[in-house]
Amino acid sequence: MAMMNIVGAVNHALKIEMERDDSVICLGQDIGKNGGVFRVTDGLQAIYGEERVIDTPLAESAIIGTSVGMAVRGLKPVAEIQFLGFIYQAMDQLAAQAARIRFRSAGRFTAPMVVRAPYGGGVRTPELHSDSLEGLFLHSPGLKVVMPSSPYDAKGLLIAAIRDPDPVLFFEPMKLYRAFKEEVPEEDYVVEIGKAKIVQEGEDVTIITWGAPTPLVKKVAEEFRDEGQVSVEVIDLRTIVPMDVETIMNSVKKTGRVVIVHEAVKSGGVGAEVSALINEHAMFHLEAPIMRVTGFNTPYPVTMVEDDWIPNAERISKGIREVMAE
């Protein structure tokens, strides 16, 4: 197996799918000759040409609108939005068009397309470059939402997303792009969309997270375990829509205590949905109120304070201690 970071794993997945299927088309600003703002598509245009790796103007609505048209007509576009914070420009094309094609046509047409976008804080970017907006799309039926946290998952989930018959949003954690490498099979494989991963097994408390915070949560959980304080089970959802409710409930029924960690703002976020599901399916197994450790209810802040705004080790540890004290 090869050692890859997330950038390399996503690039490899795109190569596999473009080689396997001539209908797979990549499009976005600067993704061709320049290989994208993070070089995720580096080298693809040289291999597959300008008609399959298309440089577009800086126009998010046009990129997604074009992708919807391509998808309905039988192609499999993989669109790149340079930063998730700019996806507001394309909300109509996503929520009012791509998400509804199957429902609107009673299944006669579908929109098999992928929208890739980097997101997440801790990398000192200007405004609208770090926002975590997965909650917007949890509330937009018809869209799948995938958020990997490792190179292995990124490759397998992206291949699964490209082969999916419906639109998939694939959000890539900027902070983790080149943070670490791990062994990734060079051959074709799929990670099932909608299946969470138990990153660390535990008995006392469940932490539910996804995407960018996952390695930090795992590190904190390992410290609690090594110090013999608390046995922490860590679940990486991997996929926000569809959500693996069964894995969540099995863990909650085992530990009875829950901390949810995400970078997005707290109000109306995915954490609130997870908390509601636990109340519906496993409330009588809870030993303490559910704790959320999240971003604050403000626009993403200036760089001087972002390390305190996003969940850090101190806040996650405090959350664990508080639910254990109940």
Side-chain angles (χ1 to χ4, degrees):
M1 286 193 283
M3 296 296 290
M4 296 185 192
N5 56 27
I6 288 181
V7 168
V10 171
N11 182 279
H12 199 230
L14 291 169
K15 282 180 182 172
I16 287 176
E17 289 306 283
M18 295 191 77
E19 192 67 32
R20 189 186 68 88
D21 185 349
D22 288 342
S23 68
V24 177
I25 306 285
C26 293
L27 68 161
Q29 189 198 15
D30 292 336
I31 69 160
K33 185 176 180 181
N34 287 339
V37 66
F38 293 101
R39 305 297 180 262
V40 174
T41 54
D42 190 33
L44 296 182
Q45 191 178 71
I47 300 172
Y48 301 105
E50 296 181 359
E51 293 189 352
R52 292 188 64 197
V53 183
I54 303 168
D55 279 316
T56 69
L58 178 54
E60 289 81 5
S61 181
I63 293 169
I64 303 305
T66 301
S67 299
V68 174
M70 286 180 169
V72 172
R73 296 294 293 175
L75 297 175
K76 295 179 180 174
V78 181
E80 178 178 306
I81 300 297
Q82 282 197 338
F83 297 92
L84 183 57
F86 295 101
I87 207 152
Y88 295 116
Q89 309 295 330
M91 279 300 290
D92 177 71
Q93 300 291 354
L94 283 169
Q97 305 303 329
R100 296 167 183 257
I101 294 295
R102 178 182 290 279
F103 301 92
R104 184 178 295 151
S105 66
R108 186 180 175 194
F109 297 102
T110 62
M113 56 185 281
V114 175
V115 178
R116 297 181 36 251
Y119 77 97
V123 290
R124 307 294 185 263
T125 61
E127 186 182 17
L128 290 170
H129 287 67
S130 295
D131 302 59
S132 295
L133 302 174
E134 63 269 25
L136 297 179
F137 302 102
L138 171 68
H139 204 65
S140 301
L143 300 173
K144 294 185 175 76
V145 182
V146 176
M147 300 181 75
S149 67
S150 71
Y152 179 89
D153 283 357
K155 178 180 171 182
L157 285 166
L158 181 56
I159 291 174
I162 294 171
R163 297 177 185 178
D164 197 278
D166 291 300
V168 179
L169 306 184
F170 191 86
F171 297 153
E172 300 164 4
M174 261 189 300
K175 189 175 181 178
L176 304 184
Y177 259 155
R178 292 181 172 83
F180 64 95
K181 291 184 177 181
E182 67 179 7
E183 288 188 339
V184 177
E186 295 185 71
E187 61 268 22
D188 180 337
Y189 69 92
V190 167
V191 173
E192 181 183 354
I193 293 176
K195 185 65 178 173
K197 178 182 181 181
I198 298 177
V199 177
Q200 175 176 303
E201 294 193 359
E203 302 293 333
D204 298 327
V205 58
T206 299
I207 300 185
I208 301 164
T209 190
W210 53 91
T214 304
L216 176 61
V217 168
K218 182 173 182 288
K219 181 182 177 184
V220 171
E222 288 172 345
E223 290 173 355
F224 273 86
R225 180 195 61 195
D226 295 343
E227 294 169 4
Q229 299 181 56
V230 181
S231 175
V232 182
E233 181 147 299
V234 178
I235 296 176
D236 176 359
L237 287 184
R238 288 172 158 168
T239 303
I240 303 304
V241 184
M243 191 177 291
D244 187 351
V245 177
E246 181 180 5
T247 295
I248 295 172
M249 299 311 152
N250 287 341
S251 182
V252 172
K253 291 174 182 176
K254 178 173 65 172
T255 66
R257 291 179 167 83
V258 179
V259 178
I260 302 167
V261 179
H262 64 68
E263 275 196 17
V265 298
K266 190 172 190 177
S267 294
V270 176
E273 176 66 14
V274 172
S275 179
L277 288 168
I278 293 170
N279 284 331
E280 289 174 359
H281 297 286
M283 185 175 70
F284 295 112
H285 294 270
L286 291 174
E287 302 287 343
I290 297 169
M291 173 72 66
R292 286 179 289 166
V293 181
T294 71
F296 294 95
N297 290 326
T298 70
Y300 195 87
V302 293
T303 58
M304 290 82 81
V305 298
E306 67 174 327
D307 288 342
D308 295 318
W309 193 91
I310 59 177
N312 54 35
E314 181 182 355
R315 291 174 57 203
I316 296 168
S317 299
K318 182 172 181 286
I320 294 171
R321 292 191 182 95
E322 287 186 7
V323 296
M324 290 305 299
E326 291 285 342

